[in-house]
Amino acid sequence: MTTTTRKENGKRLFDLLPAVYRTNDNSDHNLNQGRRDRYNGDLGLYLDACGELLDQVQHTLEQRLADLFPDNPLEADRLACQEWLLPYFAKLLDVRLVSPHARGQREEVANAVSWRQRKGTLRVAELLAEAVGQMEVELQEGWKRVATTPRVDKPCLRAAALGYSSALDETRYQKFPQVASRHPALPAVTVDFRHPSGARQTEAHNPAARVSRFGGQSVPWRAVSLHGAPCRADSYEDVSRRTVDMRSPDWKRGHYHPKRMLFYYPPPAGFFDAPVHAFKWADHADFLEVIEFYEGGNKVIEFTRKEVEGVDADVWQVEDAVTLTEPAVYRFADLQFLDALTIENGFLEMERCTVKSLTGKREDLENPVLTMRDSLLENVTANKGLVRLEYTTVLKTATVGKLQASDCIFMGPVQFALPVASIPGKHCIRFSRLQPGQAVNGVTEFKNTRDRVHLFSSVYGERGCGVLHPATSDAVTAGAEEGGEMGAYHHQFLVRQRQAMLDKLQDYIPVGMQAALIPDPRLLVVPPGDTNGDEIES
């Protein structure tokens, strides 16, 4: 965004006036009224009105300039081009946009020429995967993970070129098998249990150093003890050699093959990502803007996030239990409740929120008592009310009087508190996942599934809670009405971004190669600083 704020030009116009006019601009009146802002006078307010028009003209010109460039600005406060222009830039450069994220699409357009010039290289493959998926990626070549037979005619690279101590290349050390066997260029297959292998922090100038982001922190690292026992098998730290795996590649198998490229990525955080700012509900006025108005004859209380000085957090959480008693429509967005939320006599509308235990006590089977969209719940209860869920994941139990659900995931049972004959109309569940064996008497179903669902975590409040694992059936990951994933993270495109990465990579990796995306929790942990004493000498 631009650094010019609203009415900035109005203040500039006021400052350009002679001091006598600024001093006499109703200053005595403002001082008596307790207003010490020198722009509150009649002349200041008039210039503010003029400045507001100038601000809008300035913002329009700045946006017009930003629309000429499709890339992502390096500065966080700079304007980027509007999203609707990206397809036109893509057509101009003959780019096939696949990323579900606007930032990823800008990267695709901005780097189209440079990627084509280096097409087929490892560097482009890694940059492309990170740009399209908007996540950190570590790349390994499958042929380096395959057991091979040493050849006499194949020269052995010097250890220093691989980031190891040059002492391993000295002739006097070759007569010691325990030292010679540790040479990193040897195509050894047998694991040396005397030395653990893994990732360690190193200096950026090390020839083998790689720079990756671990939880938002950029750290140079390298692999140590290439022939040692892998402490973290099947992760990016594992460099041991294996027998060729002829199976088709997926997240779990078919990795060790000369025609494979392995892309390790950190599991998505979902809603529970850092940094977090938590507060008590009694202090919500300090962090949430409360707006009250009437809509359709009903009182609406809307809670929106305030910009609080000194608080720089992406996630805002309410720590304690909350009970709302006023008969009104409550609206929340982008907020997390770590405890229970109870609506005594009103209606609730939520978007992109999480609640541990949600209860609606109002009796109403015609109008939705609880309305959730793109949200995550552990338990939800509305024994005498209508519950409307869209793109929502319920981790445990849903107990409702009447249910309307679309594109949802129910990990636990859905319990109907009222007899079917006593409710107006029928329950409706469409394009959703239900628990195997779930009874559906009196429910109108349409294109639901009961396939098994695998989550990175099912513990509420934990990183990756409710996020679909790649092992999940396609009936869930592509079972929503428009072909996307069901559940709470439909709006984050977590499944689609993985599919987009594989789709884009096929155009840029060498012919005949196949890519495999592998979730790796180790990319969330910063490597230790121990170097095992084999690092290159400074």
Side-chain angles (χ1 to χ4, degrees):
M1 296 295 293
T2 180
T3 55
T4 304
T5 59
R6 186 174 182 268
K7 298 185 179 181
E8 182 68 24
N9 284 307
K11 294 183 179 181
R12 292 175 180 173
L13 291 174
F14 189 86
D15 289 336
L16 291 174
L17 293 176
V20 62
Y21 296 108
R22 288 185 274 119
T23 303
N24 295 330
D25 183 27
N26 288 346
S27 58
D28 294 337
H29 172 72
N30 292 328
L31 184 62
N32 294 333
Q33 296 295 322
R35 299 194 299 264
R36 298 181 179 275
D37 188 352
R38 60 177 178 173
Y39 303 101
N40 284 339
D42 295 335
L43 181 58
L45 293 175
Y46 171 75
L47 293 178
D48 276 345
C50 299
E52 185 174 350
L53 176 60
L54 294 176
D55 288 339
Q56 293 176 357
V57 173
Q58 179 179 349
H59 291 320
T60 301
L61 294 176
E62 290 175 348
Q63 185 63 62
R64 177 68 180 86
L65 177 61
D67 288 341
L68 299 177
F69 306 96
D71 58 340
N72 289 307
L74 297 178
E75 299 83 1
D77 60 344
R78 293 290 300 276
L79 287 173
C81 76
Q82 300 175 75
E83 295 181 20
W84 65 271
L85 290 170
L86 293 175
Y88 294 96
F89 284 115
K91 187 175 182 179
L92 180 65
L93 298 173
D94 192 23
V95 176
R96 185 170 61 92
L97 298 178
V98 298
S99 177
H101 306 287
R103 288 186 59 86
Q105 293 180 3
R106 291 192 180 99
E107 294 284 354
E108 290 184 77
V109 175
N111 297 297
V113 175
S114 62
W115 285 350
R116 287 171 184 157
Q117 290 174 336
R118 297 178 292 168
K119 188 175 182 178
T121 62
L122 296 179
R123 181 57 178 164
V124 165
E126 185 171 351
L127 290 175
L128 183 148
E130 292 179 344
V132 172
Q134 290 295 293
M135 65 176 74
E136 180 66 27
V137 170
E138 277 305 318
L139 172 60
Q140 285 188 6
E141 295 177 276
W143 68 269
K144 291 185 177 181
R145 302 295 308 280
V146 175
T148 57
T149 302
R151 300 202 316 260
V152 176
D153 61 336
K154 184 177 181 180
C156 186
L157 291 176
R158 297 185 61 81
L162 299 173
Y164 280 65
S165 172
S166 58
L168 294 175
D169 296 314
E170 297 180 9
T171 305
R172 58 193 179 96
Y173 284 105
Q174 300 303 314
K175 59 182 178 180
F176 298 104
Q178 65 272 23
V179 177
S181 63
R182 296 191 63 192
H183 198 286
L186 291 176
V189 176
T190 303
V191 174
D192 187 351
F193 287 95
R194 296 171 299 177
H195 305 284
S197 68
R200 300 291 185 273
Q201 293 187 39
T202 185
E203 300 294 336
H205 61 76
N206 190 297
R210 303 190 62 173
V211 179
S212 302
R213 295 183 65 83
F214 299 90
Q217 178 182 358
S218 296
V219 177
W221 64 275
R222 71 182 186 95
V224 298
S225 300
L226 300 185
H227 310 319
C231 296
R232 308 290 179 179
D234 298 322
S235 72
Y236 82 99
E237 299 184 65
D238 184 5
V239 294
S240 61
R241 296 173 180 263
R242 312 288 182 87
T243 304
V244 175
D245 190 342
M246 303 298 295
R247 295 174 291 184
S248 298
D250 59 14
W251 68 274
K252 186 177 182 180
R253 60 187 183 184
H255 300 166
Y256 312 111
H257 192 282
K259 293 294 185 179
R260 304 289 185 263
M261 299 182 73
L262 312 181
F263 293 84
Y264 296 89
Y265 67 92
F271 284 113
F272 302 100
D273 197 5
V276 175
H277 178 72
F279 59 90
K280 299 288 186 181
W281 183 251
D283 303 324
H284 74 273
D286 297 331
F287 305 98
L288 300 176
E289 188 76 34
V290 182
I291 304 174
E292 297 185 4
F293 58 93
Y294 284 86
E295 184 177 274
N298 297 320
K299 182 179 180 180
V300 178
I301 304 178
E302 189 172 280
F303 297 87
T304 59
R305 174 174 170 171
K306 281 184 179 179
E307 293 298 330
V308 181
E309 185 178 356
V311 177
D312 184 17
D314 298 329
V315 180
W316 284 30
Q317 297 177 339
V318 180
E319 296 179 319
D320 54 344
V322 178
T323 300
L324 303 176
T325 60
E326 189 173 351
V329 178
Y330 298 94
R331 290 179 180 172
F332 294 92
D334 302 301
L335 193 62
Q336 298 179 5
F337 293 84
L338 300 184
D339 208 325
L341 173 61
T342 303
I343 310 299
E344 292 283 354
N345 191 26
F347 301 91
L348 176 68
E349 298 177 4
M350 278 190 159
E351 192 169 0
R352 300 180 303 278
C353 293
T354 71
V355 185
K356 183 174 179 63
S357 179
L358 178 61
T359 303
K361 296 185 177 181
R362 185 182 181 93
E363 297 184 19
D364 195 332
L365 297 175
E366 295 288 349
N367 302 300
V369 174
L370 304 177
T371 303
M372 311 293 295
R373 180 182 174 87
D374 297 321
S375 298
L376 176 68
L377 307 172
E378 185 174 69
N379 293 286
V380 56
T381 303
N383 292 327
K384 299 180 180 181
L386 169 60
V387 176
R388 180 174 294 169
L389 305 178
E390 187 175 4
Y391 297 116
T392 297
T393 298
V394 182
L395 299 174
K396 292 185 178 179
T397 305
T399 305
V400 299
K402 185 179 178 181
L403 177 63
Q404 296 175 351
S406 177
D407 306 281
C408 296
I409 296 177
F410 296 94
M411 297 299 296
V414 178
Q415 300 175 357
F416 302 107
L418 299 176
V420 176
S422 65
I423 64 173
K426 290 185 177 182
H427 306 282
C428 177
I429 305 177
R430 59 194 295 273
F431 297 101
S432 298
R433 187 270 181 185
L434 297 173
Q435 187 184 42
Q438 171 70 55
V440 291
N441 296 330
V443 176
T444 300
E445 278 196 279
F446 185 72
K447 292 189 177 181
N448 295 325
T449 181
R450 287 168 174 76
D451 286 5
R452 185 175 295 276
V453 173
H454 298 272
L455 304 178
F456 279 104
S457 174
S458 58
V459 179
Y460 184 84
E462 191 173 82
R463 179 189 172 89
C465 176
V467 178
L468 296 178
H469 192 277
T472 303
S473 168
D474 290 342
V476 178
T477 58
E481 183 175 7
E482 46 75 55
E485 66 177 287
M486 299 177 179
Y489 298 103
H490 178 272
H491 67 289
Q492 294 188 13
F493 310 109
L494 299 184
V495 173
R496 186 170 293 179
Q497 71 185 14
R498 298 197 298 261
Q499 298 170 344
M501 290 166 65
L502 292 174
D503 188 12
K504 192 77 170 182
L505 284 169
Q506 289 304 314
D507 295 338
Y508 285 86
I509 60 178
V511 177
M513 302 292 289
Q514 288 182 287
L517 297 181
I518 309 166
D520 186 5
R522 292 298 301 171
L523 283 171
L524 302 174
V525 182
V526 178
D530 180 24
T531 61
N532 266 2
D534 58 7
E535 191 171 7
I536 187 172
E537 297 174 353
S538 302

